[in-house]
């Protein structure tokens, strides 16, 4: 399902959020027929429980968690995207974003059958988790690294978590969110794909789930993350890096890093201008980090 800010069902959703409205009233406001309103509302009932009182009109009683309309609303209000693709099940939202190839789009899935993690790993993606990818315009590889930092800070703020380099989000030292940033698109229009997976109601061994911390709504977690992306847009790169340093539990610790060119052990001293980790004087751009007991 694809939604834009001008999709009729999305516009009806916004009308219904205001309270009861008759089919005639909605039709008039949107400049469409009453039959069109009725047909759209019938379609929307897959995701929303909508009451229809004779003489009063339609009203949203409850919303499915997650649902495309709530996701689209948070996206359009905060993420500067122009289209939202919503899947009940898909291979991987990062893969959909890669095939789409254009920036300013959001890909959301209730579950993934081939969720991808960092360093070629699988990302388990059963229903109950939050899985989405955003495409941002990009000009250079440097921007992938910056989005790695920005998205980590956005999620950490949203769930009140900490970070493990480069951008695993932790709750009480257990991973609750993974982020995969990739560079894609064409030569003319390169895009950064930011793919985010959060355990909300789904539970895995040795991982944290937000529901254990009282946050069980996927719509809500998504909206919080979207708002934090918007908040971070107001900050300078220097301010974001400073916040990253404060949130990053890797700094000052003894670490082992598995990089594409070998294993490195040492003290994680700092992150540089681009979010690369400085380990005992050496700069590490990509890798898997393990915190060691010192
Ligand atoms: C990691 O290994 O920590 C990164 C995991 C990233 C998972 C997300 S879920 C949404 C998006 N689609 C994917 O296939 N992967 C990312």
């Amino acid at each position: 399902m694809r939604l834009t800010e001008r999709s009729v069902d999305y516009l009806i959703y916004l009308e219904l959020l205001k309270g009861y409205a008759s089919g005639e009233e909605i039709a008039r406001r949107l400049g469409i027929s009453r039959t069109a309103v009725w047909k759209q509302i019938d379609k929307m009932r897959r995701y929303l429980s909508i009451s229809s009182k004779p003489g009063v009109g339609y009203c949203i009683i409850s919303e499915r968690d997650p649902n495309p309309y709530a996701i689209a609303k948070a996206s359009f209000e905060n993420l500067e995207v122009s289209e939202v693709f919503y899947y009940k099940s898909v291979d991987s939202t990062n893969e959909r974003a890669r095939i789409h190839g254009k920036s300013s789009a959001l890909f959301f899935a209730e579950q993934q059958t081939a969720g991808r993690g960092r360093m070629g790993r699988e990302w388990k993606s059963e229903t109950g988790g939050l899985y989405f990818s955003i495409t941002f315009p990009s000009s250079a590889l440097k921007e992938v690294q910056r989005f790695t930092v920005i998205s980590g800070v956005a999620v950490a703020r949203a769930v009140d978590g900490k970070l493990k380099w480069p951008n695993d989000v932790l709750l009480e030292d257990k991973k609750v969110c993974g982020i995969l940033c990739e560079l894609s698109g064409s030569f003319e229009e390169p895009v950064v794909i930011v793919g985010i997976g959060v355990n909300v109601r789904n539970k895995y061994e040795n991982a944290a789930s937000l529901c254990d911390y009282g946050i069980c709504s996927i719509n809500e977690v998504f909206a919080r993350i979207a708002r934090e992306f918007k908040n971070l847009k107001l900050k300078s790169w220097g301010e974001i890096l400073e916040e990253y340093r404060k949130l990053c539990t890797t700094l000052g610790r003894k670490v082992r890093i598995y990089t594409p060119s070998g294993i490195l052990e040492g003290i994680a001293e700092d992150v540089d201008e681009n979010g690369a980790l400085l380990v005992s004087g050496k700069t590490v751009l990509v890798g898997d980090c393990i915190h060691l007991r010192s």
Side-chain angles (χ1 to χ4, degrees):
M1 172 174 189
R2 174 179 178 269
L3 290 173
T4 70
E5 280 182 283
R6 298 172 63 170
S7 300
V8 178
D9 47 347
Y10 176 65
L11 292 171
I12 295 177
Y13 173 74
L14 295 183
E15 289 299 329
L16 293 181
L17 285 183
K18 296 176 192 160
Y20 270 104
S22 70
E24 198 179 344
E25 182 64 19
I26 297 171
R28 198 182 51 73
R29 283 187 218 155
L30 301 184
I32 55 174
S33 70
R34 281 170 64 184
T35 318
V37 173
W38 178 80
K39 276 192 184 155
Q40 291 291 338
I41 287 190
D42 203 39
K43 183 176 98 182
M44 293 162 72
R45 285 200 158 110
R46 184 172 177 211
Y47 294 103
L48 311 169
S49 157
I50 301 173
S51 86
S52 47
K53 278 194 192 164
V56 187
Y58 299 106
C59 174
I60 298 173
I61 305 289
S62 63
E63 303 193 20
R64 257 197 57 185
D65 185 66
N67 77 74
Y69 303 108
I71 297 302
K73 183 169 185 287
S75 304
F76 295 141
E77 285 176 356
N78 300 291
L79 295 172
E80 292 178 20
V81 295
S82 54
E83 47 187 353
V84 169
F85 295 87
Y86 188 98
Y87 306 93
K88 279 195 118 9
S89 181
V90 76
D91 48 0
S92 149
T93 55
N94 266 40
E95 182 60 10
R96 292 297 111 193
R98 191 189 64 75
I99 291 167
H100 186 64
K102 294 192 190 76
S103 63
S104 310
L106 184 111
F107 300 81
F108 180 99
E110 291 186 13
Q111 68 168 66
Q112 300 182 117
T113 52
R116 294 209 297 254
R118 292 179 63 246
M119 316 286 282
R121 280 187 300 256
E122 172 208 17
W123 183 259
K124 277 197 211 157
S125 311
E126 291 152 18
T127 51
L130 168 61
Y131 315 106
F132 67 96
S133 305
I134 319 170
T135 58
F136 293 99
S138 146
S139 55
L141 189 64
K142 194 167 125 189
E143 280 172 50
V144 180
Q145 291 166 322
R146 290 201 169 182
F147 275 106
T148 299
V149 170
I150 294 167
S151 43
V153 173
V155 179
R157 278 174 159 218
V159 305
D160 203 10
K162 296 274 184 213
L163 289 165
K164 176 161 81 79
W165 185 85
N167 60 7
D168 284 352
V169 182
L170 312 177
L171 288 176
E172 293 181 294
D173 271 338
K174 288 193 173 160
K175 183 161 168 174
V176 72
C177 165
I179 302 171
L180 177 64
C181 295
E182 297 175 298
L183 187 62
S184 186
S186 60
F187 181 74
E188 294 78 32
E189 195 190 344
V191 297
V192 179
I193 302 169
V194 177
I196 299 182
V198 186
N199 301 330
V200 183
R201 296 189 291 266
N202 52 336
K203 303 199 178 185
Y204 302 114
E205 224 180 300
N206 296 321
S209 290
L210 283 178
C211 211
D212 291 332
Y213 294 82
I215 310 168
C216 302
S217 160
I218 294 169
N219 289 331
E220 171 62 24
V221 178
F222 179 80
R224 285 192 194 194
I225 295 172
R227 279 197 293 271
E228 292 304 344
F229 267 103
K230 186 178 183 176
N231 291 338
L232 289 178
K233 273 217 87 167
L234 304 170
K235 299 208 172 264
S236 68
W237 175 238
E239 286 173 319
I240 295 173
L241 256 187
E242 217 27 65
E243 187 158 350
Y244 179 91
R245 288 187 177 108
K246 283 191 191 128
L247 290 166
C248 186
T249 57
T250 305
L251 299 184
R253 295 181 70 149
K254 193 166 179 211
V255 293
R256 181 182 302 138
I257 315 278
Y258 294 87
T259 77
S261 53
I263 300 171
L264 181 71
E265 273 191 23
I267 303 295
E269 290 158 345
D270 198 2
V271 284
D272 73 8
E273 258 303 287
N274 300 313
L277 190 66
L278 302 177
V279 181
S280 299
K282 292 201 179 89
T283 304
V284 188
L285 280 173
V286 267
D288 241 355
C289 170
I290 294 188
H291 292 167
L292 302 171
R293 289 179 205 284
S294 33

